[in-house]
Amino acid sequence: MNGDPTAATAPTSRRHLLPTTRHELQVLAAARPAMAGILVAGGVLAGPRPGGAGGLRQVPGLGWVTADPTVGRQVLTDHQHFTLVAEGGVGHLWAQILGDWVLDLFDGPGHHDLRARSRELFTEANAATLVGTAWGDELARVRGELAAGESVDVGHLARVLVGRMMISLLGIPGPRDAEPPSTAEALAAFTTGERLAAIALGSAGSTYLAPEQVASARALVAELTRGVPDGWRHASPDHLLGRCREIGLGLSETTGLASLLLVAGTETSASAMSRTAALLVDTGEQHRLLRRLAAERERPVERAAGEPDAVENAVREGLRVTSPASVIGRGVSADVEVAGRTLRAGERILILTWAANVAAGPFRADRPYAPQTRQLWFGAGRHLCLGAALARAEIAALLHALWDDGAPLRIVSRRATRRALVPGYDRLVVARA
Ligand code: HEM
């Protein structure tokens, strides 16, 4: 739907029945059909209950499941009773790949130390610079192509851009000179990160890995991080690896952090970028965004601290509705009462972040901050996404490149990614409407 936004956001019976757009549901189903079913059904069965009691259910094969944002946040911020290094959490998976030192780095005193030291790695201010440096040329090319009436494959573009970001952040695939990475190198970096993330496919039921999964994951980590030792020793402090050294991270911590950045920040960012672009067109909300952009150009308004501009607002909404990290798992480390239920040590809980976030309503480019979800798409508590500022800057840079010229876009063709941990678009070809 490319037409008038008022018509696009008018409620229809179909719109009321579906938690999100038909295309978004297709993207979820193509990536992980079973998980798509869990997310949609979980939103109905494990969402907030009337009267404020949280929806929390036990599902055979999955453990405890919730799609209530308040319960989700309570779990993520309760570090006394929940952990991500026990079975059910992503740290448990990583410890098998990287070694037991991960346990401390991910959840113990080492994690606190790592977060305290790495706080300044991705700030709002340096995220914009990182994006400008790594993506400036490519995005200028895209603007030119759209203006010339050509089509652009945003699915492919997002993978190339994110691959470039990883190369520029981590110095992969090896020590680089000043040459910008080629498209093939960027895609190769992205694909290796994707393959590493795919190891976690199927971990919704158990985070124990088979020996062959551990072996192939170790080979991928070695391949992806082979530029890290050199970068850690020699890179200047204005590069991420140099900064890691300067803030006192050792080589193994830096290598662990580098692997984590690759897995956490590759598919998630690319997914949010192309799906947000598709949502803006599919819902007609691009017209609202274009109107707001034009108004901002005409008379710049003073915004209160933290109040988003038109693009930042659409980015937040894109993150909410796509929620690329659609579930977050935790292990229960000590018996605890949550939402009137008793969870026992050794059990696991799956927070359906996607379902909790989409329940706030359909995609609206100017939706105000929703206090119930806050920014649950980035998690909460001590593991809140380290790359949140970078992810927001990445999506914003793409939206600016696509819509700054003031012209609406149409979707020429699309293909959702099949069998992937994070749902997304293999291909999303757009052109001026
Ligand atoms: C749209 C893009 C992104 C989304 C939706 C996202 C989401 C998340 C979520 C939900 C978590 C918490 C996981 C948990 O509690 O188990 C997380 C953690 C993390 N993210 Fe992101 N992320 C994104 C992009 C990035 C980027 C670009 C980077 C860095 C380059 C990054 C680095 C990290 C790291 C290092 C952690 C682990 C933090 C910790 O355990 O202390 N993420 N992310």
Side-chain angles (χ1 to χ4, degrees), residues 385-402:
C385 179
L386 184 65
L390 179 61
R392 280 193 295 263
E394 290 179 334
I395 307 162
L398 174 74
L399 299 193
H400 276 295
L402 295 179

Side-chain angles (χ1 to χ4, degrees), residues 20-21 23-32 39 135 153-163 166 190 193-194 197 262-280 282 314-327 353-354 358 363 377-378 390-392 394-396 398-399 402-403 411 414-428:
T20 186
T21 65
H23 286 298
E24 269 290 295
L25 289 175
Q26 285 166 349
V27 166
L28 294 183
R32 300 169 82 183
L39 289 172
W135 295 4
D153 181 349
V154 177
H156 179 265
L157 173 68
R159 291 193 295 279
V160 172
L161 292 174
V162 171
M166 287 303 161
F190 184 90
E194 206 175 23
L262 272 162
V263 172
T266 307
E267 280 183 300
T268 44
S269 278
S271 162
M273 286 163 68
S274 53
R275 289 165 70 193
T276 302
L279 272 166
L280 276 159
D282 290 337
V315 167
R316 180 175 69 198
E317 190 59 359
L319 282 163
R320 178 184 71 81
V321 174
T322 62
S323 290
S326 43
V327 297
T353 35
W354 178 87
V358 295
F363 181 90
W377 43 90
F378 285 132
L390 179 61
R392 280 193 295 263
E394 290 179 334
I395 307 162
L398 174 74
L399 299 193
L402 295 179
W403 277 285
I411 293 176
R414 69 177 100 203
R415 188 178 62 231
T417 311
R418 304 216 159 269
R419 278 266 330 134
L421 183 64
V422 181
Y425 283 105
D426 261 357
R427 193 181 70 228
L428 181 77

